[in-house]
Amino acid sequence: MKTFAVAMLVVAGTLSVIAVADSVNFDNAPVGQAPAGWTATKTGSGNAKWTIEKDDTAPSKPNVLKQSGVATYPVCFKDDTNLKDGFVEVKFKSISGKEDQAGGVVWRLKDANNYYVARANALEDNVTIYDTVNGRRSERKRANMKVATNQWHTLRVDFQGTHFTVTFDGKKAIEWDDEKFKDAGKVGVWTKADSVTEFDDFSYSGS
């Protein structure tokens, strides 16, 4: 009985380690500027504008990370991350955009021109996975799913080796395999063109 109890404690301890994830809710960051410890930039041309703002509808009040500029692909990634296998997840709300209304996550990012990205689009009602190589984005797979404007959604990617699983609002959207970026890299968030998008509860885990 004693042996069983010890075994259960070991299992519980292992599960607790697995379950631990780093999370950022932006609530302690100064409003009106980009979050410290993040690189707020873009892929391509234009002027991305990444700022911390208040939003009473935020999943964890009061602050969110907002992108309100116009650039080819605005991207904002967390500087101290370096994950090869694990997951990245964010809650996002598409507010407006004539050309695009996108919210996305990036992983295995080497720099602002090389990374994987999965995004949901409220204008097109779909979820899509891409690779971006030397600044050029290529679509790899998509799924039609309802993405409502001005509502909070959850986008997540689990990545293990060459296999990637994209989940949207708790439902599996895409599975894809690729070997382009094998090494560990940074994780972050992403939009496109004139998308005005807010992000909250950014979380990740892995090694």
Side-chain angles (χ1 to χ4, degrees):
M1 194 70 181
K2 186 177 179 181
T3 303
F4 176 76
V6 171
M8 290 304 294
L9 283 172
V10 170
V11 171
T14 303
L15 288 174
S16 67
V17 170
I18 293 172
V20 170
D22 291 295
S23 184
V24 182
N25 59 22
F26 309 107
D27 292 337
N28 296 319
V31 172
Q33 56 188 271
W38 292 66
T39 296
T41 184
K42 65 182 184 299
T43 304
S45 60
N47 295 293
K49 185 180 180 182
W50 294 97
T51 55
I52 301 298
E53 304 293 344
K54 290 187 176 182
D55 184 343
D56 290 337
T57 73
S60 56
K61 300 176 184 178
N63 292 353
V64 298
L65 173 61
K66 183 177 184 179
Q67 200 300 121
S68 56
V70 180
T72 309
Y73 306 116
V75 61
C76 189
F77 53 88
K78 199 166 188 296
D79 297 331
D80 63 358
T81 56
N82 192 43
L83 281 67
K84 180 179 180 181
D85 296 319
F87 81 88
V88 58
E89 178 179 302
V90 74
K91 294 175 182 174
F92 77 94
K93 179 173 71 171
S94 296
I95 297 173
S96 64
K98 292 184 178 180
E99 182 179 340
D100 229 284
Q101 291 183 19
V105 290
V106 298
W107 70 100
R108 291 190 186 163
L109 180 144
K110 297 169 62 177
D111 53 42
N113 292 312
N114 295 277
Y115 52 82
Y116 289 117
V117 56
R119 70 98 178 101
N121 191 308
L123 283 183
E124 300 176 5
D125 281 331
N126 58 37
V127 176
T128 310
I129 194 168
Y130 306 86
D131 57 56
T132 300
V133 180
N134 296 325
R136 182 174 180 177
R137 188 189 69 159
S138 299
E139 179 181 328
R140 298 307 177 189
K141 203 168 184 179
R142 74 165 56 189
N144 294 325
M145 305 188 82
K146 178 62 181 176
V147 185
T149 304
N150 285 307
Q151 289 186 22
W152 286 97
H153 303 281
T154 302
L155 183 65
R156 173 182 173 122
V157 178
D158 291 88
F159 45 99
Q160 187 74 32
T162 61
H163 189 68
F164 313 134
T165 303
V166 183
T167 306
F168 178 72
D169 285 347
K171 298 179 180 179
K172 185 188 294 184
I174 297 170
E175 287 194 81
W176 181 53
D177 292 273
D178 188 70
E179 298 184 350
K180 204 163 282 89
F181 298 123
K182 296 180 179 180
D183 298 331
K186 303 184 189 308
V187 290
V189 294
W190 178 102
T191 71
K192 180 187 173 186
D194 62 344
S195 300
V196 177
T197 309
E198 292 182 347
F199 299 90
D200 200 8
D201 295 347
F202 178 83
S203 62
Y204 58 93
S205 183
S207 60

